[in-house]
Amino acid sequence: MTEPKRMPAQQSAAGADRSDGQEAVAILESARTCVDPELRAALDMLPGSMRRVALYHFGWERADGTPAAGNAGKAIRPALVLTAAAALGGPAARSAALRAAAAVELVHNFTLLHDDVMDRDTTRRHRPTVWTVFGDADAILTGDALQALALGLLAEDPHPASSAAAARLTACVMELCEGQHTDTAMEGRAPGEVTLGEVLTMAEAKTGALLGCACAMGALYAGAAPEDVEAMDAFGRQAGLAFQLIDDVIGIWGDPGRTGKPAGADLVARKKSLPVVAALSSGTPAAAELAELYRLPYREGDLERTVLAVERAGGRDWAQVQAADRMARAMQELARAVPEPEAAGGLLALAEFVTRRSS
C-alpha cells in the first residue's frame, strides 16, 4: 500500500511524536490542575457516604477517609475538551469550558465505577477498586451520582453552549450504555459468532463516543460552526477507537507494574476484545486453538497458552495496524476543522500520546 498523503495536521503529528510525548504530558498536567478544583467542588455536593466513596475512587482519600495524594487518572478527556476549545476559540474559550471538561471527566468515572463492578476487576490505578472496598451497591450508586453531577454542572453553567453540550453528553451516555450492553451480551456468545464489524462498532460506542463528545463539547464552547463540531466529534471517535485498540493490546501484553491492572484479565474472563476477535477470525491453526480455549472456562495455567494463541493468530499485529489506520483517519477529520498545524498541534499531541502509550 502507498502511504497516504499527509494533511497539514498530519505533518504536525509527526512533530508531536518527535517531542516524545512531552507536549501531551504538559497538556494533561495543565488539564488536571485546572479541572481538579471543579471536580472537588462537585464531589463536595454529594451526600457524605457517597462523597467518601468518590474521593477514594479519585485517589484523594484512603478507604478510612484520611487524605491521600493518589492518582486521579490521566485527564485525557477533560484535556480534549479544553484543547479543542482553545484550538477553535483561543484561551478565552478554553477557560470558559472548565465546567464542561469536569462534566466529561465525571461521566468517564461513572463508567469506570460501573465497569469495575460488571467486569469484577479488583485493581484500578494501582489500588483496590471501589466495589472491593465498599461493596457493589456503593460503587453503583456513586457512579450514578457522578453522572447526575455531570449533567448538573452543565445545567447550571451560564455559557450559551451549555444546553447543546448537555444534550450531546446525554446522548453520549446512552451510546456508552448501549456499547457496554453489547459488550456484556457478547460474553455469552460462542467464539465464532462475534464478527470484527460488531466488535469495532461496540468499541466505538464504549470508548470513541466519549472522546468524540469531549472534542465536540470543546468546539461548542468555542462557538464553532456545526460542521466543525461534527468534524471534531469524528476526530475524537477515530482517535478513541485507536485508543481502545492499543488499550486492548496493553490489557494482554502490558506490564501490570505500569498499568495498575493485572495482565490478561480479559483473557481470563474470556472477553472478546478487539485483538481476540481479530485472532479468532484469522482462519489460522492458532485461531482454532484460541477458539477451543475460549469455549471452556479458564483453567489455571491457560493464560500463557491463550496469549500465545492470540499473538500467533495475528491479533496483536492486526490491532496495531488498525490503530495506525484509525489515527490517520482522525488526522484527516481534524484537518477539516482545524487546518492550521499550529492550532491543531495540541490535539494531535494528545492523540499521538494515547495511541503510543504503554500503560
Side-chain angles (χ1 to χ4, degrees):
M1 292 177 62
T2 58
E3 184 177 351
K5 181 180 179 181
R6 283 187 184 270
M7 304 292 286
Q10 289 172 289
Q11 294 166 0
S12 177
D17 183 37
R18 284 195 299 271
S19 73
D20 294 326
Q22 292 178 3
E23 181 182 0
V25 170
I27 292 169
L28 292 169
E29 288 176 351
S30 174
R32 186 90 272 165
T33 300
C34 292
V35 172
D36 277 1
E38 295 283 343
L39 291 171
R40 286 181 178 271
L43 297 187
D44 281 345
M45 293 187 283
L46 290 172
S49 57
M50 283 189 286
R51 181 168 63 251
R52 179 181 170 188
V53 176
L55 288 169
Y56 172 84
H57 170 72
F58 277 94
W60 294 330
E61 283 189 1
R62 299 181 181 89
D64 62 4
T66 57
N71 175 15
K74 294 183 178 68
I76 290 167
R77 290 151 191 85
L80 285 171
V81 175
L82 299 178
T83 309
L88 287 156
R94 183 187 188 277
S95 297
L98 280 174
R99 279 193 185 180
V104 168
E105 185 72 341
L106 287 168
V107 164
H108 173 55
N109 281 276
F110 138 68
T111 69
L112 297 183
L113 284 165
H114 283 204
D115 282 357
D116 286 343
V117 172
M118 287 184 276
D119 295 341
R120 311 314 283 171
D121 286 338
T122 58
T123 307
R124 181 174 293 281
R125 299 168 181 163
H126 304 278
R127 66 203 311 232
T129 46
V130 164
W131 73 268
T132 66
V133 176
F134 298 96
D136 289 359
D138 280 2
I140 293 167
L141 291 169
T142 303
D144 293 341
L146 294 186
Q147 182 191 167
L149 280 178
L151 295 174
L153 284 181
L154 294 175
E156 295 172 1
D157 190 348
H159 194 281
S162 62
S163 178
R168 188 173 281 268
L169 188 58
T170 301
C172 178
V173 169
M174 295 291 287
E175 191 173 355
L176 291 170
C177 292
E178 181 185 18
Q180 180 66 16
H181 183 267
T182 301
D183 190 22
T184 55
M186 282 180 181
E187 293 180 29
R189 293 166 62 184
E193 292 180 358
V194 178
T195 67
L196 269 177
E198 286 180 298
V199 78
L200 282 166
T201 299
M202 177 271 294
E204 181 178 340
K206 277 191 63 175
T207 305
L210 189 55
L211 269 69
C213 182
C215 294
M217 286 172 64
L220 285 170
Y221 273 72
E227 59 269 22
D228 291 337
V229 174
E230 295 310 316
M232 292 301 295
D233 183 87
F235 160 72
R237 283 176 178 271
Q238 293 296 332
L241 197 43
F243 175 95
Q244 187 60 56
L245 285 154
I246 297 302
D247 197 62
D248 285 354
V249 168
I250 291 169
I252 298 173
W253 292 279
D255 176 6
R258 292 177 63 87
T259 65
K261 295 188 287 187
D266 284 354
L267 299 181
V268 171
R270 299 303 191 232
K271 289 182 73 68
K272 296 173 182 69
S273 65
L274 288 158
V276 167
V277 176
L280 289 167
S281 305
S282 68
T284 62
E289 179 186 357
L290 180 61
E292 188 60 32
L293 286 165
Y294 257 56
R295 286 189 188 98
L296 301 170
Y298 175 77
R299 297 168 297 185
E300 193 68 34
D302 275 355
L303 182 57
E304 185 176 353
R305 285 182 62 204
T306 309
V307 170
L308 287 172
V310 176
E311 185 148 16
R312 286 200 303 267
R316 186 177 192 170
D317 289 343
W318 175 89
Q320 290 171 332
V321 169
Q322 275 288 311
D325 176 66
R326 297 294 173 165
M327 267 300 297
R329 298 187 198 187
M331 292 173 187
Q332 290 172 347
E333 294 292 349
L334 180 57
R336 288 171 49 205
V338 191
E340 291 301 320
E342 186 175 346
L347 287 164
L348 284 163
L350 288 172
E352 288 279 349
F353 177 82
V354 300
T355 55
R356 293 180 182 273
R357 65 201 177 94
S358 59
S359 64

